[in-house]
Amino acid sequence: MVFVDEMKFVFQRESSTRKIGDPQTQEVSELTYQGDAVFSSGNHKKGIELIRKALKISEKDKLDLSKVADLLTIIGDMEIEARIDNGFKQHTRALEIRSNIQPNTEAEAESQDSVGMILLSYNQSSKALKYLEMALRFHKFQNPLSIKTAVQYTHVGQAQRSLGRLNDAYESFKSSLLILKNINDAKNEAANVHFLLGSLLREQGAHPEAAETHLNQAISLFSVNELSLIQISN
């Protein structure tokens, strides 16, 4: 969602710094700003409608295709958050555009991850892993020690675990944790990986003490709200 927040900021900045005589860009930026504000206020349906209107203008007037992809991504994430749809159609379209005009970029990797995680949620783990590994390759090349690389290792591990590749999943989770332990503002991400490692080891049944250690570390790192999620999962 951080990448999506960055896109919204760009639209808002364009709305305030636009050139006079560019009404289409102005309207798209203003609709995006309004849609985000309305959605955040709790009126999800209306917020998405406003973003869809901005998308229609962008497609009709053939503005920058990267902005079309950005709007599709925003709609997809809103649909998921509002539980209106699974966002798959929007994220797939965004990925198609970005693969054509923005190959080997963070934008393409973000779309690959989104499509992969949606597929994973629908138990299409083999397809999911393909997209998640592509995103991981990009982040490893860009910055092998970044939080985005760590999170991508986690996502890959989740897909591997879903496929029954438990040893591979363990290695992916460990790779994620090795990066996260050196990042100060990554406690929640580290807690999530500790929880995944603990539950994985518990599932394997071979290392009960290590499993409990990871689960206890997860509990110590998670915020109160996230801790309740762990308790529910157990």
Side-chain angles (χ1 to χ4, degrees), residues 4 12 23 38 46 50-51 76 87-88 91 113 124 126 135 153 170 174 184 204 209 212:
V4 173
Q12 292 170 19
V38 171
K46 181 63 177 178
L50 289 166
I51 305 293
F88 184 72
H91 282 295
D113 180 65
Q124 298 185 43
S126 294
Y153 267 119
Y170 177 83
K174 290 292 288 185
N184 291 329
Q204 289 178 310
E209 291 184 4
E212 292 307 311

Side-chain angles (χ1 to χ4, degrees), residues 52 76 79-90 122:
R52 285 189 180 280
E79 287 178 344
I80 293 169
E81 184 176 341
R83 298 185 179 181
I84 293 173
D85 200 342
N86 62 19
F88 184 72
K89 179 180 178 182
Q90 315 302 339
Y122 280 82

Side-chain angles (χ1 to χ4, degrees), residues 22-33:
D22 190 6
Q24 287 83 13
T25 299
Q26 173 195 357
E27 188 173 7
V28 167
S29 298
E30 289 177 350
L31 283 168
T32 304
Y33 177 80

Side-chain angles (χ1 to χ4, degrees), residues 98-148:
R98 287 170 171 167
S99 294
N100 285 326
I101 67 170
Q102 298 172 298
N104 302 313
T105 61
E106 183 175 342
E108 183 188 33
E110 187 76 14
S111 286
Q112 288 166 341
D113 180 65
S114 296
V115 170
M117 292 305 287
I118 293 170
L119 286 168
L120 184 60
S121 72
Y122 280 82
N123 296 318
Q124 298 185 43
S125 304
S126 294
K127 290 182 180 179
L129 184 59
K130 170 187 169 184
Y131 288 104
L132 296 172
E133 286 181 331
M134 285 191 290
L136 176 60
R137 281 196 293 272
F138 170 81
H139 288 301
K140 284 171 64 178
F141 178 78
Q142 287 294 108
N143 186 348
L145 300 179
S146 72
I147 191 169
K148 290 183 178 180

Side-chain angles (χ1 to χ4, degrees), residues 61 68 77 107 138 143 154 214 219:
D61 293 302
V68 172
D77 282 342
F138 170 81
N143 186 348
T154 304
H214 281 295
I219 291 171

